Amino acid sequence: MSDLMPTQTIGFAETRDGIRLSYRIVPGNGEGRCVLIHSLAMDKFFWEPTAAALAGASEVLIYDCRGHGVSGKPAGPYSTAQFADDLADLMNHVGWSSAVVAGASMGGCIALAFAAAYPERVNALGLFDTTAWYGENAPAAWAERAEKARNEGLKALVGFQKTRWFSDGFHEANPDVVEAAVSTFLANEIDAYVATCNMLGAADLREALPKFDFPCRVLVGTEDYATPPEMARVLADNIPGATLTILEGARHFTPLEVPAIIAGNLQLLIEAAKA
């Protein structure tokens, strides 16, 4: 969404099944490491404002999930467990044994799956605008969205998405950010988008939550219609010691709408991980 910083590390990592993942590392002061996982149909640039707001407090690893951005887009089906393995392979590639792991929306589901499969690699967990389970009707609801995209194209979903992503005030004050998100959304390949939608419809990570044994912060906006505060409360209530922050007036893309607040929560997790 903006020019890359000249001091970054950029590259591709290969997963265990041969998929190339595009990544970049924003440098820090060496005192912390943080992995940030983007939302459905976004890419690593989703996290750029948050990484900038961290202002070097931590090394930040951002990447394009499989099926997204310039990473590989293999045929589906996809699973959250597969995406968790991708992150493990990426961390191996860059030489990170563990990190603070955080995700937004789809990225939060992946962070949960990673924490379930690789708990020893999670120093702390950040869950923004996300859920462990979309509900009993999720498979049908996500399949319906996927089929609308396949039959009518991603443009048919733009109006629906924009109202869910950002608050009305943010829309008016930041049209450039909104349009950048729309452009990223429209650049997705339909087959990969469909496979990812179906993955989210099938996701159910509730069983893992009580087993987590690391600092965790959950954050959601009061106007988040995609993963509303009720879903965030389920996360916070079932993860031992988790904190819950509900932001008045924010919607689903808090890393773009309030990046300084997200960065502040990540900084608290980085500090908690050191304790």
Side-chain angles (χ1 to χ4, degrees):
M1 293 181 181
S2 64
D3 293 337
L4 300 178
M5 289 180 282
T7 52
Q8 70 180 319
T9 300
I10 59 175
F12 284 88
E14 186 170 308
T15 67
R16 63 195 69 183
D17 61 343
I19 305 306
R20 279 163 51 93
L21 300 178
S22 172
Y23 73 91
R24 61 184 272 226
I25 298 176
V26 180
N29 59 15
E31 296 183 2
R33 286 175 169 171
C34 186
V35 179
L36 304 177
I37 313 167
H38 62 77
S39 177
L40 170 66
M42 294 292 106
D43 60 17
K44 56 184 170 291
F45 297 104
F46 178 85
W47 288 107
E48 197 168 70
T50 299
L54 279 171
S58 169
E59 285 186 285
V60 179
L61 172 60
I62 54 180
Y63 69 104
D64 297 343
C65 294
R66 74 167 56 210
H68 292 75
V70 295
S71 288
K73 299 174 179 64
Y78 295 165
S79 70
T80 54
Q82 184 182 46
F83 277 53
D85 289 344
D86 287 349
L87 177 53
D89 294 343
L90 173 58
M91 289 175 65
N92 290 343
H93 176 84
V94 301
W96 288 18
S97 60
S98 64
V100 173
V101 177
S105 192
M106 177 193 80
C109 292
I110 297 166
L112 287 168
F114 183 79
Y118 301 94
E120 73 284 356
R121 306 195 72 166
V122 178
N123 297 333
L125 188 64
L127 302 171
F128 309 132
D129 324 309
T130 193
T131 184
W133 182 57
Y134 282 93
E136 292 181 0
N137 296 326
W142 279 102
E144 181 180 355
R145 186 189 305 189
E147 285 310 299
K148 185 176 180 67
R150 187 182 296 282
N151 295 332
E152 302 178 34
L154 289 169
K155 284 186 178 180
L157 297 176
V158 166
F160 164 78
Q161 295 289 15
K162 285 199 297 185
T163 59
R164 288 161 73 90
W165 287 343
F166 303 109
S167 66
D168 295 342
F170 188 88
H171 262 270
E172 295 173 5
N174 301 274
D176 55 331
V177 177
V178 176
E179 289 311 308
V182 169
S183 294
T184 301
F185 179 77
L186 292 175
N188 280 267
E189 293 186 6
I190 291 293
D191 286 347
Y193 179 79
V194 167
T196 311
C197 285
N198 290 331
M199 173 187 80
L200 293 173
D204 185 355
L205 297 151
R206 292 174 294 171
E207 185 177 334
L209 304 182
K211 302 173 186 177
F212 292 164
D213 187 25
F214 29 71
C216 177
R217 300 186 71 84
V218 181
L219 186 144
V220 69
T222 57
E223 296 183 10
D224 189 338
Y225 310 129
T227 52
E230 291 76 13
M231 289 183 173
R233 288 192 184 96
V234 171
L235 291 174
D237 288 347
N238 285 278
I239 297 173
T243 67
L244 173 63
T245 301
I246 300 178
L247 297 178
E248 185 65 35
R251 290 194 186 164
H252 192 54
F253 275 6
T254 58
L256 291 176
E257 190 161 359
V258 288
I261 293 175
I262 296 299
N265 277 265
L266 288 168
Q267 182 61 55
L268 290 171
L269 287 172
I270 292 164
E271 293 170 1
K274 297 177 189 175

